[in-house]
Amino acid sequence: MDIDDILREVDPTFHSVPLEKRDLQELTRAWVAERSAPELLPWPSHGFFERINDNIKRQIERVEDMTGDMDPKTNFALIVIQTELERYRYLVRSYLRARLAKIDRHALHYLSTDELRARMSDVELAYATRHQALLHNHYLSSFLSSFPPNLQNLNDSAGINMVEAPDLDSAVFVRLLRDTLVTAKGVEDDDAVTVKADDILILRWSDAKPLVEAGSAELV
Amino acid sequence: MPMYGDLGNKLVQHAKRTQNLAHLPPYQTELVRAVTREVRDLDRDVAALLEPFQGSFDPAEHQATACTLLVNHLSMRRNKRCLLAYHRTRTDKLEELVWNGTDILDMAGAQQAGGPGAVSAPDGAAGSSSLSPQEEDYFRQYGDLLAAYKGHWTDIDLTGSLEPPRDLFIDVRVLKDAGEIQTEYGAINLTKNSQFYVRQGDVERLIAQGYLQKLG
């Protein structure tokens, strides 16, 4: 049971909205959140992307079935479906690539602990592991192998830590989903204010993260 | 008299410049080698300095030696970071090329046509390429990796446009002869300077490869 399940239970419209539409909303939310958050967010569980993929497949088949038909009415429907399909695909593509960009940028960081590894899907994990291995190999064959052995690592933490991590203090915009007391670090002073639902705040991600995870706010 | 780290600095400057270039400048084989050599020399110095102490070095007692050691130590690490940064910048560029579907051989050709001065890699018998042999390997391997990842998302076309789709159909002008393509609405013959109204999804790759230009 995670946040999404809880949210779904308290959502009065839950049972009236068809599954496909909910999936699309969820996808859009995940996409917006992933693009604004400075760090990688957890991969959606409960077979969400399998379902998305099936939806896309089904629509593609539908398009193929309808293509032979010369009736103008079907033709119009076809264009609507294809446009929708293109947009759907764009969402998924952009979402996946936003994640991949983050993984590429801080691969060693995301591979470093089990908690962080769990945020990636199996495929992403395989990709990140392999990519990092390729890079290390490349460095080794280009110059690292002629270094003294004690300097050949890529994860030295003596002196300066070599493993770069995303900046969790960068700013994000969040919309509050219910009235909440928001505490945030300031430059000089920390502050706590009560914020009403639907208000939009700009916060450090490190302050916003607990709110988002508790379902009190969403990234915009 | 060159100082420690000068060469590393040069590498970083190359890397910085590379970030703003459309193509990949020639690999600095000599510079990379020199920086690596500097690291090895420094390491040897450290070993030589420590040798008389037989593992019982006390920094408080020999402050001058301790200072030298520290400087050497930091210089080595700095050089390493410079090398890593230089190579990472280049691999990032290479990855970008893989994503865009650019053919590496095409690029080497363009580089050669780019005139003298573009080719300075002294050790490449295949002098036309601005990549080191290792980078060529990397390029191929990353291509395989990406293909494997894409294989899980065949219906999405992961390398497709990251511009949000606005219209299903777009106007394109043909910049280079691209031959005949098959679409759901029949075959189109793409001859230079002609103009078509086509489905964006059908021609995305051709636009990325520079055969077609999107209009409007």
Side-chain angles (χ1 to χ4, degrees), chain A residues 18-73:
Chain A
L19 184 70
E20 283 83 1
K21 191 169 173 200
R22 239 178 310 129
D23 278 348
L24 180 60
Q25 282 171 347
E26 201 173 328
L27 176 64
T28 313
R29 269 202 197 109
W31 172 66
V32 171
E34 193 67 62
R35 282 173 53 114
S36 355
E39 65 171 335
L40 190 71
L41 302 175
W43 178 252
S45 47
H46 49 83
F48 178 62
F49 265 88
E50 284 77 0
R51 212 156 62 227
I52 296 278
N53 237 347
D54 286 345
N55 286 350
I56 291 179
K57 223 171 237 128
R58 218 168 29 237
Q59 287 295 68
I60 292 179
E61 278 164 18
R62 192 120 154 243
V63 168
E64 278 164 6
D65 285 348
M66 287 167 75
T67 308
D69 204 328
M70 272 305 150
D71 178 21
K73 234 196 243 160

Side-chain angles (χ1 to χ4, degrees), chain B residues 63-139:
Chain B
Q63 289 185 351
T65 320
C67 179
T68 317
L69 285 174
L70 182 66
V71 170
N72 285 359
H73 178 90
L74 291 179
S75 304
M76 281 193 276
R77 271 158 186 75
R78 181 173 179 283
N79 274 351
K80 178 174 166 186
R81 262 196 109 84
C82 294
L83 281 166
L84 285 173
Y86 178 72
H87 285 84
R88 182 65 197 251
T89 311
R90 292 181 63 93
T91 50
D92 280 352
K93 266 260 166 3
L94 288 176
E95 284 164 23
E96 198 184 310
L97 292 172
V98 177
W99 278 97
N100 295 341
T102 316
D103 195 335
I104 200 163
L105 296 171
D106 269 8
M107 211 184 52
Q111 187 88 42
Q112 209 166 27
V119 183
S120 70
D123 64 335
S128 64
S129 173
S130 53
L131 305 184
S132 73
Q134 290 84 359
E135 284 178 323
E136 283 177 24
D137 282 346
Y138 182 82
F139 186 84

Side-chain angles (χ1 to χ4, degrees), chain A residues 38-40 106 109-110 164-169:
Chain A
E39 65 171 335
L40 190 71
H106 299 294
H109 170 71
Y110 290 119
E164 272 198 35
D167 178 12
L168 301 184
D169 276 341

Side-chain angles (χ1 to χ4, degrees), chain A residues 174 176 178-184 191-196 201-203 207-208 211 216-217:
Chain A
V174 290
L176 273 293
R178 51 174 169 252
D179 298 0
T180 323
L181 179 74
V182 178
T183 25
D191 199 8
V193 276
T194 313
V195 187
K196 290 202 180 58
L201 288 184
I202 175 166
L203 284 177
D207 291 328
L211 298 175
S216 323

